[in-house]
Structure formats: structure tokens, C-alpha cells
Amino acid sequence: MPARPLGKAAASDRDHVFLQAAFAIRLPAGHQVPPADEVVVIHRLDAESGELAWMPDGHTYCYGKIREGYSSYTCGRLPEKPPAPGLLLTVPGEPDRVTTEDNLDKVRNVSFVIAEGGPARFDHVKRRKGMGPVHQAVARFPSGRMVTFLTFDRPYGPLDPEAEICRSDQHVCFPSAEVPH
């Protein structure tokens, strides 16, 4: 059974153009466009761009990043063993646009994370200069299990290995860099 978004994470009428743009491109093989009530809108940038995710079951996820004429999807299965307590998956930062030597100062890397549990707030604990805020949205499975989808951006280039993000109760923390599986 699929996870359903909670609160402001649910797609609404204002997201119609965004969802059209998001699903105008082909998804990775073996994955289908979900019904709108299963789409979790993590971050709305404007009427046609942002970040979204969905989980058709408790083991499969898809994450999409839609920008001005540039879209990408990552779909797959959660690792058999979580990389850290409370952390289900990290997808390292991917550029938010096509990069050239002329635009590196405008390119941002956007990372995607799935954490176990509900609405406790995540934020940077050790923050590198230029790091964007942590955006998050919660989804609930019919069983009651909840997951939190997170995205955050940073300047293009290497990441401070000390940078860390934690849940407000400090029970779940992880480096801003990719956590190995």
C-alpha cells in the first residue's frame, strides 16, 4: 500500500502545473506516474518547479527534482539495512541544472534523504556557509508507519565533512554528505 502525504505536503490545485511539468518526462524503467494523492510535495519553488517524492510501498521510492527546463528522477528500493538508526536512504547532491564552466557559481547541489518517523523537525546542526534550508514533508502508510522526505541544497563543490543535520529531538542525526549503505 502506498504512503500518503500529510498536511501541506499533499498536492493541491495550486500544484497542477507543477505536476504536469514533473510527469511530462519519462520515469525510470519499471516505475509509473503515481496518482496525485500519493505525491508528496517536499519543496515548491514556483508554479512549475520544486521537489517531490512518493513511495508506492514500504520498500520502493521515487524522488523527482524539477527546475526550469531540467528534470531528473531517482527511483529504487530502500537498502536492506538502514545506513544509520532512523535513516533509510540518502541520495547525494545532484546539480540543480546543467553545469558549465560559466555557471558553476549559480549551480546548487540538491540532496534527498528518507528518514523513519513523523513530523519532528530536521535542521542543520553544523552548517557550512551557503547551505540552504532543510525542506521536509511527511507521508504515512496505511499501517501507521511514517517517513519523512528531506531535501537541502548547497553550493556546487565539496562538502564540509563536519556538516550535519539532526531531528529536533537529536535522536536521528546524519552527515550532510552521503551516508554509505
Side-chain angles (χ1 to χ4, degrees), residues 17 49 78 90 125 133 150 167 169:
V17 173
S49 58
L78 295 177
T90 61
V125 174
L150 308 161
R167 196 167 67 189
D169 62 9

Side-chain angles (χ1 to χ4, degrees), residues 90-111:
T90 61
V91 176
E94 296 178 356
D96 67 350
R97 66 190 76 199
V98 176
T99 57
T100 66
E101 287 188 28
D102 297 331
N103 74 351
L104 288 179
D105 61 327
K106 295 180 180 102
V107 174
R108 306 284 292 174
N109 277 356
V110 180
S111 295

